[in-house]
């Protein structure tokens, strides 16, 4: 036994190799763990067992992947290539064993973990909901580098394997079985029996049918590669995210020649890994881990959540909590709101769960509660009514005497300071903010809004709750707009100002897309709702020293609210904005992009200076996960650091000279180090 592995032999002479990293809740393929694994393979091979089963002793899963923290410190492509080639050698040893090997999978089996499993002769996966198999590497700016691009194609066929790697999506055990990624998908209690059966019976390895092998034909590959590039281009530009395109080219040039593919994999992935895009995406991954780690200061557990407000946000928060296994009572004065919320929840459950019994179980845990009887039983009470101070204050007066002493009382307010909302509570320090973002099912961030009197344990409990429902918790100081809306609003307002100057919506959005934003600001404003944008802009106008654009008021007064009304700055048809193709000169787009992005960056600096969050890393995390700020740039503060203080200030001064004091550099830039 060592600090990573232990091996047991059963009475049938099957070796059971347990991956069990000491002092860690998750198994990760660090360089040290890979070397320990290699030594175990050598030792087991010398014992000549009837078979080998590789499994995890961790409840969290099989293997979460390679060591991403180490990726952030790799000094050169040569060092990266050395690590990759060493992993190739170790997995080749596993693949070449003279006896059958089985990867026994539960929970996470991702990235390097799946590549290790593919080097085994067989795979068995648990049908529990927590079991996920996938290649998330393109989200890190690379593609599978430990032999995965070769072995996945050999097992699944060309297009299924390439599409799995390109999408970075993980699949359930049952889907993995349909793909022939695993031999068996069984309940967890049957995993070991299934593994024994494979070793004793040694069935022939799966070979993909001709239809899945044919796209790899040398004559067809260039044509298929062009189609794949077009598919990828709908979601990612090659100048922003080179990894998917590098994967397609790697496949196009070398598919069908294993030795050449292994060599190309090592060469291409090592170059990508040490490039700026991958290093920024790795930074974003580590920021995500940091947010998750903020929840470790509490063991708070919620079983019952009560949500007040059956509108879109309240109803979707309730549905999300149910999806994460909680009992939820949903209250609203208008029964028709509850009906619509339950209907939307049912659609979400069918999409996410797909099993009709699980869908019914979820529906049973979502309880329409017109009278609010669930308040006294709830562990967490979330107020999600409309943004009106008096209405919220009156509601808290009714809730506070009824709720449990141990319950969390939270507001989903998007911009109102907690101190104002809590003025009439008997215990004002008890109110905390849980600010979700729309759409709740897609946006990963929740701002944990804190006021001066909040006890540290209350903040820790709220943070733990957010993580417990699968969200990334970010503590922010109570201030108009908090972090995300405050940073986002100047960006959106500058886009509206450009519209008023006569620039077309499509040109404005294209400028943002060229910078790397996932959606243009005009389309985003229409999607959020122009009435909501107007409300937040009015609340923040004093803080931002920015008058509300008159065109925004006129749109709302005319009932043009954006996507939900079918008309905003765009006309909407079947949920899609109707756009003309922009044809401006690149330098014009660059100028428009600077105006919008630099306002966002400047407000990010203001939030850092005012300690809305603790440091620049948390500013970046909040803006990326709350607004979708171009992840490959590493966040607004990281972007400013890479651009350089001198160049950033030069751009601000030029824009300030032309457009006025909304481009005046924040005082925080004086102390900014690059």
């Amino acid at each position: 036994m060592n600090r990573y592995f232990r091996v047991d032999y059963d009475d049938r002479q099957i070796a059971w190799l347990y991956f069990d990293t000491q002092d860690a809740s998750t198994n990760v393929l660090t360089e040290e763990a890979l070397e320990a694994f290699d030594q175990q393979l050598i030792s087991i091979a010398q014992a000549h067992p009837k078979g080998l089963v590789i499994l995890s002793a961790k409840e969290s899963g099989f293997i979460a992947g390679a060591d991403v923290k180490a990726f952030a410190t790799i000094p050169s492509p040569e060092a990266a290539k050395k690590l990759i080639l060493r992993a190739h050698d170790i997995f080749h040893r596993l693949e070449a064993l003279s006896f059958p090997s089985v990867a026994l999978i539960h929970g996470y089996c991702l990235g390097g973990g799946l590549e290790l499993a593919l080097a085994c002769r067989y795979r068995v996966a648990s049908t529990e909901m927590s079991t996920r198999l996938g290649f998330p590497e393109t989200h890190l700016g690379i593609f599978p580098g430990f032999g995965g691009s070769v072995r996945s194609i050999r097992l699944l066929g060309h297009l299924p394997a390439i599409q799995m790697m390109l999408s970075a999506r993980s699949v359930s055990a049952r889907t993995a079985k349909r793909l022939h990624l695993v031999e068996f998908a069984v309940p967890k209690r049957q995993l070991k029996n299934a593994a024994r059966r494979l070793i004793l019976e040694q069935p022939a390895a799966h070979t993909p049918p001709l239809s899945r092998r044919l796209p790899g034909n040398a004559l067809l590959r260039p044509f298929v590669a062009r189609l794949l590039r077009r598919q990828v281009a709908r979601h990612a530009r090659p100048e922003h995210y080179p990894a998917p395109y590098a994967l397609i080219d790697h496949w196009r040039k070398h598919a069908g020649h294993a030795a050449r593919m292994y060599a190309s994999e090592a060469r291409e992935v090592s170059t990508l890994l040490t490039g700026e895009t991958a290093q920024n995406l790795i930074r974003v991954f580590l920021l995500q881990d940091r947010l998750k780690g903020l929840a470790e200061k509490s063991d708070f557990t919620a079983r019952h959540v009560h949500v007040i407000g059956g509108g879109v946000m309240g109803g979707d928060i309730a549905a999300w909590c149910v999806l994460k296994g909680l009992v939820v009572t949903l209250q609203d004065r208008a029964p028709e709101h509850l009906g619509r919320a339950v209907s939307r929840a049912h659609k979400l459950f069918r999409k996410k769960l797909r099993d009709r019994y699980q869908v019914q179980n979820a529906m049973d845990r979502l309880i329409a509660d017109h009278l609010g009887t669930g308040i006294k039983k709830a562990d967490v009470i979330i107020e999600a009514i409309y943004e009106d101070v008096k209405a919220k204050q009156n509601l808290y007066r009714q809730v506070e005497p009824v709720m449990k002493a141990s319950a969390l009382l939270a507001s989903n307010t998007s911009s109102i300071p907690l101190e104002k909302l809590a003025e009439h509570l008997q215990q004002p320090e008890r109110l905390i903010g849980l600010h979700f973002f729309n759409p709740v099912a897609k946006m990963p961030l929740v701002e944990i809004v804190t006021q001066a009197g909040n006890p540290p344990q209350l903040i820790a409990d709220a943070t733990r709750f957010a993580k417990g429902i699968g969200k990334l918790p970010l503590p922010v100081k109570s201030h108009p707009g908090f972090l995300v809306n405050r940073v986002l609003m100047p960006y959106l307002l500058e886009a509206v100002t450009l519209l008023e100057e006569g620039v077309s919506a499509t040109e404005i959005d294209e400028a943002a897309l060229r910078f790397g934003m996932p959606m243009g600001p005009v389309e985003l404003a229409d999607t959020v709702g122009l009435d909501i944008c107007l409300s937040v802009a009015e609340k923040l106008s004093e803080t931002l020293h920015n008058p509300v654009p008159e065109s925004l008021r006129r749109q709302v007064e005319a009932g043009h609210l954006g996507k939900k009304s079918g008309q905003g700055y765009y006309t909407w048809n079947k949920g899609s904005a109707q756009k003309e193709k922009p044809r401006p000169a690149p330098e014009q787009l660059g100028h428009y992009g600077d105006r919008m992005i630099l306002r966002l960056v400047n407000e990010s600096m203001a939030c850092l200076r005012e300690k809305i969050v603790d440091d620049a890393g948390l500013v970046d995390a909040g803006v990326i996960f709350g607004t979708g700020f171009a992840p490959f740039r590493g966040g607004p503060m990281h972007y400013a650091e890479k651009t350089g203080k001198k160049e950033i200030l030069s751009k601000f001064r030029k824009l300030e000279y032309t457009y006025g004091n909304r481009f005046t550099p924040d005082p925080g830039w004086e102390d900014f180090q690059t």
Side-chain angles (χ1 to χ4, degrees):
M1 181 176 173
N2 55 40
R3 69 180 301 267
Y4 295 102
F5 295 95
R6 61 180 171 86
V7 61
D8 297 331
Y9 291 87
D10 66 15
D11 55 4
R12 297 186 182 187
Q13 283 305 296
I14 296 172
W16 299 81
L17 182 60
Y18 288 85
F19 195 171
D20 189 12
T21 307
Q22 292 179 14
D23 304 318
S25 60
T26 306
N27 291 323
V28 174
L29 288 174
T30 63
E31 192 170 358
E32 186 179 349
L34 279 168
E35 293 299 334
F37 179 62
D38 191 39
Q39 290 303 309
Q40 290 290 335
L41 290 179
I42 293 170
S43 176
I44 291 167
Q46 291 169 346
H48 303 292
K50 190 165 287 184
L52 167 65
V53 180
I54 302 171
L55 66 166
S56 167
K58 303 294 187 189
E59 282 297 319
S60 59
F62 183 62
I63 302 171
D67 185 7
V68 178
K69 288 182 181 178
F71 288 171
T73 60
I74 288 182
S76 66
E78 292 74 24
K81 187 175 181 181
K82 183 179 177 182
L83 171 64
I84 291 168
L85 290 174
R86 180 64 183 130
H88 282 181
D89 288 342
I90 295 168
F91 288 1
H92 286 325
R93 188 190 307 282
L94 170 60
E95 188 175 46
L97 290 173
S98 60
F99 43 84
S101 55
V102 181
L104 194 153
I105 298 163
H106 74 276
Y108 289 118
C109 177
L110 302 173
L114 180 54
E115 292 182 279
L116 184 151
L118 286 170
C120 294
R121 192 181 302 181
Y122 307 114
R123 286 146 298 282
V124 180
S126 162
T127 53
E128 291 185 328
M129 283 185 64
S130 61
T131 297
R132 307 298 298 178
L133 299 86
F135 293 118
E137 283 89 345
T138 54
H139 285 167
L140 296 176
I142 57 176
F143 61 82
F146 288 177
S149 72
V150 186
R151 294 188 177 97
S152 63
I153 288 170
R154 184 188 301 156
L155 184 66
L156 306 182
H158 290 269
L159 284 181
I162 290 291
Q163 287 169 339
M164 186 175 186
M165 289 184 278
L166 288 174
S167 71
R169 287 194 295 268
S170 60
V171 299
S172 67
R174 289 190 175 91
T175 301
K177 175 67 172 66
R178 287 196 296 272
L179 290 168
H180 297 284
L181 187 60
V182 301
E183 274 67 30
F184 293 121
V186 298
K188 192 174 181 181
R189 66 182 183 278
Q190 296 176 14
L191 283 175
K192 290 188 175 182
N193 285 337
R196 288 190 191 97
R197 177 181 164 188
L198 287 167
I199 286 172
L200 296 175
E201 296 180 3
Q202 297 190 36
H206 171 72
T207 301
L210 179 62
S211 61
R212 293 190 175 186
R213 302 197 307 272
L214 199 57
N217 179 279
L219 295 175
L220 293 178
R221 282 203 309 272
F223 173 72
V224 176
R226 283 197 296 273
L227 292 179
L228 289 171
R229 288 178 71 91
R230 279 185 211 153
Q231 286 180 359
V232 171
R234 293 174 195 155
H235 309 287
R237 299 182 182 221
E239 66 270 27
H240 297 161
Y241 297 99
Y245 299 92
L247 171 60
I248 294 167
D249 288 344
H250 157 74
W251 171 78
R252 176 180 58 82
K253 293 174 184 176
H254 306 295
H257 301 272
R260 282 166 49 185
M261 281 200 83
Y262 283 121
S264 170
E265 190 183 77
R267 184 173 59 251
E268 295 298 325
V269 174
S270 60
T271 301
L272 288 168
L273 182 58
T274 51
E276 185 176 358
T277 293
Q279 287 298 306
N280 283 345
L281 291 173
I282 288 165
R283 181 175 187 271
V284 172
F285 177 88
L286 296 177
L287 286 173
Q288 177 177 280
D289 268 5
R290 183 181 173 194
L291 294 184
K292 292 176 182 177
L294 296 175
E296 293 175 359
K297 299 175 183 177
S298 168
D299 57 2
F300 177 81
T301 302
R303 293 180 178 84
H304 182 167
V305 174
H306 185 81
V307 179
I308 306 174
V312 171
M313 283 303 296
D316 289 358
I317 291 168
W320 182 260
C321 291
V322 169
L323 194 64
K324 294 303 173 179
L326 303 178
V327 173
V328 178
T329 42
L330 177 60
Q331 178 182 353
D332 196 281
R333 291 181 302 177
E336 61 271 18
H337 288 173
L338 295 178
R340 286 194 289 268
V342 170
S343 177
R344 283 199 316 277
H346 188 244
K347 289 180 183 177
L348 177 68
F349 300 155
R350 286 195 318 190
K351 179 180 177 182
K352 295 287 186 180
L353 300 174
R354 299 190 179 180
D355 180 287
R356 63 191 180 95
Y357 297 106
Q358 291 181 10
V359 170
Q360 186 56 53
N361 183 270
M363 291 299 294
D364 290 344
R365 285 184 279 110
L366 178 58
I367 304 162
D369 184 14
H370 177 55
L371 299 176
T373 57
I375 294 173
K376 60 180 180 292
K377 300 176 186 177
D379 303 304
V380 179
I381 298 155
I382 302 174
E383 168 270 306
I385 67 171
Y386 55 97
E387 291 286 271
D388 182 88
V389 173
K390 289 187 177 179
K392 290 178 186 287
Q393 289 175 339
N394 289 335
L395 178 63
Y396 302 151
R397 285 196 190 97
Q398 299 169 34
V399 169
E400 187 180 27
V402 182
M403 60 188 286
K404 293 193 300 188
S406 59
L408 288 176
L409 175 60
S411 174
N412 182 54
T413 179
S414 59
S415 58
I416 305 172
L418 291 187
E419 292 83 355
K420 194 167 189 66
L421 294 179
E423 281 177 355
H424 301 296
L425 283 168
Q426 294 297 312
Q427 296 176 281
E429 72 282 357
R430 201 171 174 187
L431 181 67
I432 197 162
L434 287 173
H435 181 214
F436 292 77
F437 295 89
N438 191 27
V440 174
K442 291 184 179 179
M443 297 298 288
L445 192 77
V446 169
E447 288 180 316
I448 312 298
V449 187
T450 66
Q451 54 173 321
N454 287 144
Q457 190 58 50
L458 176 70
I459 299 169
D461 290 349
T463 303
R464 180 76 174 190
F465 169 72
K467 187 196 174 193
I469 58 170
K471 296 297 183 183
L472 299 175
L474 176 69
V476 299
K477 188 168 74 175
S478 177
H479 186 281
F482 316 133
L483 174 70
V484 173
N485 279 347
R486 178 173 165 187
V487 165
L488 184 62
M489 194 49 59
Y491 165 76
L492 296 179
L493 292 177
E494 193 63 27
V496 175
T497 301
L498 282 164
L499 283 169
E500 292 181 338
E501 292 174 8
V503 181
S504 73
T506 50
E507 287 181 12
I508 294 165
D509 281 352
E510 178 61 18
L513 293 172
R514 286 202 180 191
F515 177 82
M517 303 299 271
M519 180 185 286
V522 182
E523 184 175 356
L524 177 61
D526 266 6
T527 302
V528 169
L530 299 185
D531 52 338
I532 293 171
C533 291
L534 176 61
S535 173
V536 175
E538 287 175 335
K539 290 181 174 69
L540 297 182
S541 60
E542 186 175 335
T543 299
L544 300 177
H545 309 292
N546 196 133
V548 179
E550 283 304 312
S551 70
L552 181 58
R553 290 190 193 279
R554 288 195 298 271
Q555 290 278 9
V556 174
E557 288 169 1
H560 298 162
L561 308 183
K563 185 176 181 179
K564 59 188 170 186
S565 70
Q567 180 65 54
Y569 288 113
Y570 287 112
T571 298
W572 290 78
N573 183 24
K574 296 181 180 178
S576 296
Q578 305 304 294
K579 300 181 181 180
E580 298 176 359
K581 193 167 183 177
R583 299 184 183 276
E587 59 271 17
Q588 286 180 301
L589 291 179
H591 176 69
Y592 301 153
D594 276 351
R595 283 178 57 177
M596 295 183 289
I597 296 300
L598 286 175
R599 291 210 60 196
L600 183 153
V601 170
N602 205 33
E603 203 60 38
S604 297
M605 172 55 80
C607 289
L608 178 61
R609 175 178 53 80
E610 296 172 17
K611 287 293 182 183
I612 302 300
V613 294
D614 287 343
D615 56 53
L618 292 180
V619 172
D620 284 342
V623 178
I624 289 169
F625 297 119
T627 74
F629 182 91
F632 73 94
R633 296 192 185 273
M637 302 312 301
H638 189 70
Y639 167 70
E641 181 183 348
K642 288 296 182 182
T643 303
K645 178 177 176 178
K646 184 177 179 181
E647 184 175 345
I648 285 282
L649 289 176
S650 174
K651 287 185 175 185
F652 275 129
R653 290 183 183 116
K654 288 176 183 175
L655 291 169
E656 181 185 21
Y657 178 80
T658 306
Y659 299 105
N661 63 6
R662 68 180 186 275
F663 287 102
T664 301
D666 186 85
W669 294 108
E670 295 175 11
D671 301 320
F672 186 61
Q673 301 296 320
T674 62

